[in-house]
Amino acid sequence: MSTERVNPPALSPPTGFSHAVVASGTRIVFLAGQTALDQDGKVVGDTLPAQFERALGNLLTALTAAGGAPVDLARVTVYTTDLAAYREHAAELGRRWRELMGRDYPAMAVVEVVRLWDERALIELDGFAVLP
C-alpha cells in the first residue's frame, strides 16, 4: 500500500492525526469496534489510558490477523464515554499511541457517546486499512 498524508496549510496544523489520507492498494480491511476486552471477553483496565492501550492493541491484533500493519490504517474513529477525560489524558494517550503505532497518523475522529456495548468500557476504536 502507498499512503500520502495530506495536511493543507489552510487548515490548523494536525496534532496526532492527519487531515486526509490518500491510500492506494488492492484490499480494504474494515475493522470492527474494539474495546479493552481480554480473551475471556472481560473489560480490563480501570483507567481510560489503560483501556485505550488495550483497545488499540486489540484493533492492531485484528489488523495483523488480516495481513495488515499499523502503517496501513487509513481511518480510525475513537468513541469515548468521557471526552473531558480523553482531553485530560491526551498526552498519555498520544504516548501510548506512538508506542504501538509510530507517527504515521491516519485520518481520525474522536466522538463522545453516552455508553458503549459493555457498560465497563470507557473507549472503543474502529477503523479501516488499505493493504497492498
Side-chain angles (χ1 to χ4, degrees):
M1 175 190 79
S2 70
T3 57
E4 175 189 1
R5 269 70 175 160
V6 180
N7 294 300
L11 297 176
S12 166
T15 303
F17 70 95
S18 294
H19 284 291
V21 176
V22 178
S24 60
T26 59
R27 294 178 54 212
I28 297 176
V29 178
F30 295 93
L31 298 159
Q34 299 292 325
T35 60
L37 293 179
D38 64 11
Q39 286 182 309
D40 296 324
K42 306 289 185 211
V43 172
V44 295
D46 293 327
T47 66
L48 183 67
Q51 286 197 20
F52 176 84
E53 184 171 347
R54 181 60 185 239
L56 180 56
N58 288 347
L59 191 78
L60 293 175
T61 296
L63 175 59
T64 300
V71 71
D72 298 323
L73 277 172
R75 171 90 176 140
V76 170
T77 303
V78 178
Y79 305 92
T80 180
T81 59
D82 188 345
L83 190 55
Y86 188 93
R87 286 183 178 148
E88 178 184 330
H89 295 288
E92 173 72 6
L93 300 177
R95 183 185 65 73
R96 292 178 188 222
W97 175 279
R98 288 185 300 279
E99 286 174 3
L100 295 171
M101 293 282 302
R103 293 185 178 268
D104 290 321
Y105 298 110
M108 292 182 66
V110 178
V111 179
E112 185 175 47
V113 295
V114 174
R115 67 170 291 238
L116 296 165
W117 181 260
D118 188 308
E119 291 181 5
R120 289 200 58 236
L122 304 173
I123 198 156
E124 182 170 334
L125 289 83
D126 72 7
F128 72 87
V130 180
L131 280 56

